[in-house]
Amino acid sequence: MSNSASMLIENHFHLPSWMKLMEKEIIAKLRQRGYKLTPQRKVVLKTIARSQNHLTPAEIYGRVKEEYPSIGLVTVYRTLEILTELGVICEVNPEGSSRSYLIRRALGHHHHLICSGCGAVVDFTTCNLGELEQRLSQKTGFEVEGHLLEIYGFCPDCQQIASA
């Protein structure tokens, strides 16, 4: 079993082991902005952390509702907004498709391939933009803090459907 797979095996009532390591950092980020790690926020985080795929707000709400039946859709959306703002989760907003979310793992820096047909999202970590960042910084005087790259195209399934 791979290390990442074993890290995601968890007790239904606890955060994954790698999330436990991040929990203090998440609590600190929340407190800095005047928020708490409420049971509702914790269950939304657990739901996103359990998934290997990007989840839409509707998918998150459906899964959270199973574990926390009294949670409202507005609470889920507000939690997603807060967690995105804090950099705890990653938001993808493909053209013409619903937003989707994925936990920002310890590896952190990643980018997205987004299918213009079905909205599928594939993460990738290969990135050679450091040199470009330096040139842009020198040319414009910007102090570059980071970047986000989203590449749009058609996944193999959508290519196959289009060619049929």
Side-chain angles (χ1 to χ4, degrees):
M1 179 180 304
S2 75
N3 190 29
S4 61
S6 65
M7 286 193 293
L8 289 174
I9 295 174
E10 64 183 271
N11 180 309
H12 180 72
F13 300 105
H14 300 292
L15 290 171
S17 59
W18 63 267
M19 278 292 294
K20 286 180 185 178
L21 299 174
M22 289 180 58
E23 188 172 7
K24 287 182 182 179
E25 182 181 329
I26 292 167
I27 291 169
K29 284 183 177 187
L30 287 166
R31 283 188 181 150
Q32 281 178 334
R33 300 280 177 90
Y35 301 113
K36 295 179 182 175
L37 184 58
T38 63
Q40 296 90 337
R41 289 183 184 131
K42 196 167 189 171
V43 75
V44 169
L45 265 171
K46 281 178 19 180
T47 299
I48 297 169
R50 287 178 184 149
S51 178
Q52 289 293 320
N53 301 311
H54 288 83
L55 298 173
T56 65
E59 291 169 326
I60 294 166
Y61 177 66
R63 293 178 187 192
V64 166
K65 194 90 172 139
E66 291 174 10
E67 188 172 333
Y68 203 97
S70 64
I71 198 164
L73 183 58
V74 172
T75 301
V76 171
Y77 271 99
R78 182 68 182 128
T79 300
L80 293 172
E81 183 181 310
I82 291 167
L83 296 175
T84 301
E85 176 187 317
L86 296 175
V88 174
I89 61 175
C90 181
E91 177 185 65
V92 177
N93 197 3
E95 296 174 6
S97 295
S98 180
R99 288 179 288 184
S100 64
Y101 299 87
L102 183 71
I103 200 79
R104 198 174 291 277
R105 307 220 189 280
L107 300 175
H109 188 79
H110 70 281
H111 300 292
H112 304 113
L113 290 170
I114 303 171
C115 180
S116 299
C118 67
V121 179
V122 176
D123 294 326
F124 66 96
T125 57
T126 304
C127 173
N128 298 323
L129 296 178
E131 201 175 293
L132 176 60
E133 284 181 350
Q134 285 180 336
R135 283 196 318 256
L136 288 171
S137 180
Q138 290 170 352
K139 185 175 181 177
T140 64
F142 268 77
E143 185 175 316
V144 177
E145 295 177 347
H147 61 268
L148 173 65
L149 180 61
E150 293 181 344
I151 299 175
Y152 294 89
F154 291 92
C155 70
D157 291 341
C158 287
Q159 289 177 52
Q160 190 173 13
I161 291 168
S163 67

